[in-house]
Amino acid sequence: MIKKLRFKFVVINMSIVTIMLSVIFALIFHFTRANLEAESISMMQSIANRPFELEIPKELGKDIRLPYFTIQLGRRGELVATGGGYYDLSDKEFLYDLINVTFTSPKSLGVIEKYNLRYYRVDTPLSRYLVFADITSEKATLSNLMKSSLAIGTISFLMFLGISIQLSKWAVKPVDLAWKQQRQFLADASHELKTPLTVIMTNAELAQSPEYDEENKQRFINSILTMSRQMRGLIEKMLQLARADNSDTKEITALVDFSKLVSDGILPFEPVFFEKGLTLKAQIQDSIKIIGEEGQLYQLMDVLLDNAQKYSKKAGCTWVSLKKHGKGRCLLAVANEGKRISPEEAKNIFKRFYRGDQARSRTGSFGLGLSIAESIVKRHKGRIWVESRDGINYFYVELPLHNG
């Protein structure tokens, strides 16, 4: 899929480049040819405007740029004189051939391809004048321009092809990453669901077996119920993550009192921490407001505080702080005393279904909570990261303040 996408990207890019190069070189060729033709015609008209000087060969003037010669005809079409000095004008057969071709054409201006000459016919009451200009250099210029355009076009095409191939890698990188994450997510989700399903099926088969008494069968049923609840929790987490991902396209416009929201988000966890013998402390700066979605920000607080109470050491302390940070930002920190998070874990801890150790499994974690938190923070144009020092793990969330 990614290769096909890259191929389409390169094909579209190169089609656009080919069309642009073709148009550019076609315009250059057209205007060059038109300019050369216009200069040649202008020179011939300049010569034709001086009919009494035609019989006397002159040196090239400033407006004379091409080899030329002239023919003067009488009223009956007889050859009267020639001039110019750039051709052998002693060949009468050649001259009369030119005269016949010129007067056969209904146009007073044209090209005789056989001799590479452009002619201009002027009629006066007493005689007729024919001006011929050599267009060999004009054709050579256009031919060289065509060859140069083809060479430059080929080199440009190959250069743009290389650039397009590199750009295609950069352009599809987010798609490739999303595709890999999706496949990994499906694989991990299948693995997480497979274990409880296996336990449920095994216990269901044992509960139906006549070899076991009612007490054992009840134990099997209780195990089925436990695994079913675990599966429901996993599915709910997956749905939360899907909702967080799908809400990226919706614009956030609501003004939220983040100070009050954080304070309110702490309240439901105070009894939870108390029952587990943990200490929860908070230091919230007032009047911090952001643009956000309250439901998701409450969910963010739930994830961070739930994570803190699960992985705090026995009788440990958790600190929640919120303050303004730098220019136009605020910083939310949830820190708890617990097992140190290694640098390797810090890099992967926000990945879906990531568990640094089996302790997460024993606490009922599926490795999705922090992924949900990261998705929410990104949607609010912020960033989230973790640091571990002196036996305390710090989860930081930085969000933009409301400018009003």
Side-chain angles (χ1 to χ4, degrees):
M1 173 184 162
I2 299 301
K3 288 183 178 179
K4 288 182 179 179
L5 190 61
R6 285 184 58 192
F7 178 76
K8 288 181 179 179
F9 180 90
V10 172
V11 168
I12 292 171
N13 266 8
M14 295 315 300
S15 298
I16 295 172
V17 168
T18 302
I19 292 171
M20 289 181 63
L21 288 175
S22 299
V23 170
I24 290 170
F25 288 127
L27 288 173
I28 292 173
F29 185 85
H30 169 75
F31 286 117
T32 302
R33 183 177 63 180
N35 186 55
L36 290 173
E37 186 176 331
E39 287 183 356
S40 174
I41 294 171
S42 176
M43 182 199 78
M44 296 170 72
Q45 289 175 338
S46 176
I47 296 171
N49 288 333
R50 298 173 293 178
F52 297 107
E53 300 178 14
L54 294 178
E55 295 181 14
I56 306 173
K58 301 282 186 179
E59 293 183 0
L60 289 177
K62 292 183 179 179
D63 56 345
I64 309 301
R65 298 179 179 85
L66 298 173
Y68 76 96
F69 65 93
T70 61
I71 299 176
Q72 182 181 0
L73 302 175
R75 295 182 65 182
R76 296 185 181 87
E78 70 278 13
L79 181 61
V80 175
T82 59
Y86 302 102
Y87 283 82
D88 180 10
L89 302 178
S90 61
D91 188 348
K92 301 298 181 181
E93 184 180 350
F94 166 66
L95 296 178
Y96 278 109
D97 188 21
L98 293 179
I99 293 169
N100 290 333
V101 173
T102 303
F103 283 98
T104 301
S105 173
K107 298 180 180 179
S108 61
L109 179 67
V111 173
I112 304 174
E113 296 289 348
K114 180 180 178 181
Y115 299 111
N116 282 334
L117 293 172
R118 178 175 286 113
Y119 69 86
Y120 182 61
R121 189 175 66 220
V122 181
D123 296 328
T124 66
L126 298 177
S127 59
R128 293 177 172 179
Y129 298 95
L130 298 176
V131 181
F132 294 90
D134 191 302
I135 59 172
T136 303
S137 61
E138 183 179 323
K139 285 188 172 182
T141 299
L142 293 175
S143 177
N144 291 333
L145 177 61
M146 178 68 74
K147 292 177 182 178
S148 299
S149 297
L150 288 174
I152 294 171
T154 302
I155 295 171
S156 300
F157 182 89
L158 294 175
M159 288 178 60
F160 278 111
L161 178 60
I163 293 171
S164 293
I165 292 172
Q166 295 301 317
L167 281 176
S168 69
K169 295 179 182 179
W170 172 79
V172 303
K173 189 174 181 180
V175 179
D176 188 24
L177 180 60
W179 178 251
K180 288 179 180 178
Q181 287 179 339
Q182 183 181 22
R183 286 189 299 179
Q184 186 64 41
F185 178 80
L186 290 174
D188 292 339
S190 300
H191 175 75
E192 293 291 338
L193 290 170
K194 183 179 179 181
T195 301
L197 276 174
T198 302
V199 173
I200 289 171
M201 291 176 65
T202 302
N203 280 276
E205 289 172 357
L206 293 173
Q208 290 179 335
S209 175
E211 299 178 5
Y212 296 97
D213 55 22
E214 290 300 321
E215 183 179 351
N216 284 321
K217 288 182 179 181
Q218 187 61 43
R219 181 164 53 84
F220 297 147
I221 292 171
N222 289 337
S223 180
I224 292 172
L225 184 60
T226 300
M227 288 295 102
S228 298
R229 287 170 177 167
Q230 183 176 331
M231 284 184 64
R232 184 179 67 180
L234 173 58
I235 292 170
E236 286 176 351
K237 288 286 186 182
M238 291 169 64
L239 289 174
Q240 288 176 3
L241 185 59
R243 282 194 293 267
D245 288 341
N246 291 334
S247 62
D248 287 349
T249 56
K250 299 177 183 177
E251 186 178 0
I252 302 174
T253 57
L255 180 62
V256 177
D257 187 340
F258 198 39
S259 298
K260 183 176 184 303
L261 186 144
V262 172
S263 298
D264 292 343
I266 293 173
L267 293 177
F269 281 89
E270 288 181 346
V272 176
F273 277 78
F274 179 77
E275 288 180 4
K276 295 184 70 173
L278 303 173
T279 303
L280 180 60
K281 297 180 180 181
Q283 188 175 0
I284 312 298
Q285 186 176 339
D286 293 334
S287 303
I288 293 180
K289 297 181 180 181
I290 65 172
I291 299 296
E293 187 177 317
E294 284 194 3
Q296 289 197 340
L297 293 173
Y298 273 118
Q299 190 176 4
L300 172 65
M301 287 299 302
D302 288 345
V303 169
L304 295 177
L305 289 171
D306 182 62
N307 187 75
Q309 62 91 13
K310 280 180 180 178
Y311 304 110
S312 285
K313 70 176 186 179
K314 187 176 182 180
C317 183
T318 296
W319 298 268
V320 179
S321 67
L322 175 65
K323 61 182 179 181
K324 291 182 180 179
H325 178 69
K327 187 176 180 180
R329 314 288 286 184
C330 67
L331 184 67
L332 170 67
V334 178
N336 66 285
E337 295 177 310
K339 183 180 177 182
R340 178 180 177 271
I341 297 175
S342 68
E344 182 64 26
E345 285 183 297
K347 292 179 182 177
N348 300 305
I349 201 167
F350 295 102
K351 292 181 179 179
R352 298 173 181 186
F353 292 108
Y354 175 79
R355 289 196 287 257
D357 53 48
Q358 295 304 314
R360 287 179 176 262
S361 299
R362 292 193 296 270
T363 58
S365 171
F366 304 105
L368 289 177
L370 291 175
S371 297
I372 294 171
E374 184 185 42
S375 181
I376 293 170
V377 172
K378 285 184 176 179
R379 184 169 182 249
H380 286 76
K381 300 178 181 178
R383 65 189 187 103
I384 183 171
W385 71 98
V386 60
E387 296 177 7
S388 185
R389 55 182 182 272
D390 302 326
I392 301 175
N393 298 318
Y394 299 84
F395 284 85
Y396 293 106
V397 175
E398 188 182 64
L399 295 170
L401 289 170
H402 173 56
N403 293 327

